[in-house]
């Protein structure tokens, strides 16, 4: 068996390298994805995940995260979690329960405190500067730019697969808003017997296509990870354009049980990948004439988080 890991945006590189270390030494896909997402959550340089995330309209960093185990299909998720260090660890800890796998807001915080998860104030000077600058503008609060989600999908040496996603969601989002990232089938879905997918971009539009589950179902029907991701994003984009005359930025990654990956996007998108055959590397993807073009990330490419 071989191992592989794929992550969204440039910010995933350190996480992919960490996952690589874990997978290379025989660790599980679940640990690889969790540790990878957690490293990104801890890094204050990335402003759309965890510590130093983007505040909501009230100036609070409310975090969403989801975890899925591809063997059992168990999942755990938190939405609008405030005041804790690692939403992905909290999400994962909810995955093996029969009920109550997805907790939000105060309930999620109560659970995290009761289970001794490390507390942390995630609002930093940088987060609050961004917030105050936006709030100071005369126009209504509508800055939905600058968001991104870190997503990881991995397969380990024993063929187990897992997914982990973490985000602060849309900048200036409404208090209590939960996006696609924490929602199974939307921000993530993985089944070790087939493969999995994760999404990033405008959550409200991703949810209209249940994007990760749609990609997974195509793979289940025999489509390659490459085509499943590219075609599903194109189809969702076209459907959104037809019905609402606009489509938010949407990107998705897919990984199958043989370690082959796919990417779909309707905007410039960066991702990272590593496997037992390929060293960790950052790639750039963009939609071109109905297909997804990919090359190794170059300095001349836009600085995508
Ligand atoms: N999908 C995330 C959300 O809507 C944001 C992103 O990935 O850019 O919360």
């Amino acid at each position: 068996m071989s191992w592989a890991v794929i992550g969204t945006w440039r910010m995933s590189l350190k996480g992919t390298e960490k996952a690589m270390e874990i997978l290379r030494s025989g660790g599980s896909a679940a640990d690889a994805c969790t540790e990878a997402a957690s490293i990104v959550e801890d890094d204050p340089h990335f402003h759309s995940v965890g510590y130093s995330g983007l505040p909501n309209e009230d100036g609070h960093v409310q975090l969403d995260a989801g975890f899925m185990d591809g063997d059992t299909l168990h999942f755990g998720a938190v939405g609008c979690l405030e005041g804790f260090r690692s939403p992905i660890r909290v999400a994962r800890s909810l995955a093996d329960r029969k009920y109550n796998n997805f907790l939000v807001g105060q309930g999620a915080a109560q659970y995290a405190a009761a289970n001794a998860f490390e507390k942390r104030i995630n609002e930093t000077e940088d987060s609050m500067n961004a917030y105050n600058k936006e709030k100071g503008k005369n126009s209504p609060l509508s800055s939905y730019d600058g968001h991104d989600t870190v997503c990881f999908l991995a397969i380990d040496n024993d063929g187990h697969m897992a997914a982990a996603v973490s985000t602060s969601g849309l900048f200036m989002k409404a208090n209590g808003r939960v996006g696609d990232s924490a929602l199974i089938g939307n921000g993530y879905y993985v089944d070790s017997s087939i493969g999995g997918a994760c999404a990033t971009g405008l959550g409200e539009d991703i949810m209209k296509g249940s994007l990760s589950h749609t990609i997974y179902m195509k793979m289940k029907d025999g489509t390659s990870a490459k085509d499943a991701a590219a075609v599903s994003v194109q189809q969702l984009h076209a459907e959104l354009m037809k019905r609402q005359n606009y489509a938010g930025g949407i990107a998705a990654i897919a990984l199958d049980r043989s370690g082959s990956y796919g990417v779909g996007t309707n905007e410039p998108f960066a991702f990272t990948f590593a496997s037992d055959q390929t060293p960790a590397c950052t790639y750039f993807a963009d939609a071109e004439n109905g297909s997804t073009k990919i090359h190794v990330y170059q300095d001349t490419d836009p600085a995508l988080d």
Side-chain angles (χ1 to χ4, degrees):
M1 198 70 209
S2 47
W3 59 263
V5 55
I6 184 165
T8 53
W9 304 110
R10 291 194 310 170
M11 64 178 152
S12 64
L13 186 61
K14 269 196 203 156
T16 288
E17 286 167 351
K18 180 69 187 173
M20 194 172 86
E21 248 175 70
I22 294 172
L23 295 167
R24 206 160 38 196
S25 58
S28 71
D31 286 347
C33 288
T34 309
E35 293 307 315
S38 177
I39 280 183
V40 183
E41 287 172 337
D42 278 348
D43 194 326
H45 296 106
F46 304 127
H47 294 300
S48 58
V49 176
Y51 187 50
S52 203
L54 294 166
N56 69 4
E57 65 185 0
D58 296 336
H60 295 267
V61 174
Q62 293 190 328
L63 302 170
D64 298 344
F67 169 86
M68 187 163 178
D69 178 321
D71 289 357
T72 57
L73 305 185
H74 289 180
F75 77 98
V78 289
C80 296
L81 178 65
E82 279 186 55
F84 286 86
R85 176 178 166 199
S86 179
I88 193 59
R89 290 183 197 282
V90 183
R92 181 176 172 183
S93 76
L94 291 163
D96 286 326
R97 305 164 131 206
K98 194 167 177 187
Y99 310 111
N100 303 315
N101 301 105
F102 187 178
L103 301 179
V104 299
Q106 218 193 345
Q110 254 169 27
Y111 165 83
N115 288 278
F117 282 94
E118 194 178 329
K119 293 191 175 171
R120 176 169 64 197
I121 294 169
N122 290 305
E123 292 82 0
T124 62
E125 204 180 315
D126 278 355
S127 323
M128 295 322 290
N129 283 344
Y131 172 75
N132 288 326
K133 200 167 149 201
E134 189 60 34
K135 210 171 178 225
K137 290 184 182 164
N138 279 335
S139 50
L141 297 180
S142 63
S143 178
Y144 290 103
D145 291 335
H147 50 87
D148 284 333
T149 299
V150 77
C151 310
F152 291 99
L153 275 167
I155 181 160
D156 63 31
N157 278 319
D158 299 316
H160 306 302
M161 294 190 77
V165 307
S166 187
T167 188
S168 55
L170 300 185
F171 182 29
M172 292 295 188
K173 64 189 177 182
N175 182 25
R177 179 256 186 199
V178 179
D180 62 301
S181 307
L183 280 183
I184 182 172
N186 291 276
Y188 59 97
Y189 196 86
V190 63
D191 169 351
S192 303
S193 69
I194 307 288
C198 292
T200 175
L202 183 62
E204 282 72 3
D205 279 355
I206 290 169
M207 290 188 274
K208 289 165 191 158
S210 301
L211 186 56
S212 294
H213 196 260
T214 297
I215 297 171
Y216 159 71
M217 285 305 286
K218 281 195 169 55
M219 291 163 70
K220 196 172 181 182
D221 289 342
T223 308
S224 65
K226 183 169 176 263
D227 289 345
V231 170
S232 302
V233 172
Q234 273 167 34
Q235 287 176 342
L236 177 56
H237 179 87
E239 212 54 47
L240 293 166
M241 290 306 292
K242 191 167 94 191
R243 291 162 188 258
Q244 61 184 26
N245 214 22
Y246 69 88
I250 295 172
I253 52 172
L255 186 70
D256 72 17
R257 61 185 299 275
S258 70
S260 298
Y261 74 81
V263 169
T265 189
N266 66 356
E267 61 176 349
F269 172 59
F271 67 97
T272 63
F273 178 77
S275 74
D276 55 336
Q277 313 286 326
T278 328
C281 182
T282 306
Y283 298 88
F284 174 84
D286 207 353
E288 222 178 87
N289 302 326
S291 66
T292 305
K293 294 275 177 272
I294 295 173
H295 62 245
V296 171
Y297 193 90
Q298 289 155 5
D299 291 345
T300 46
D301 290 327
L304 302 165
D305 287 352

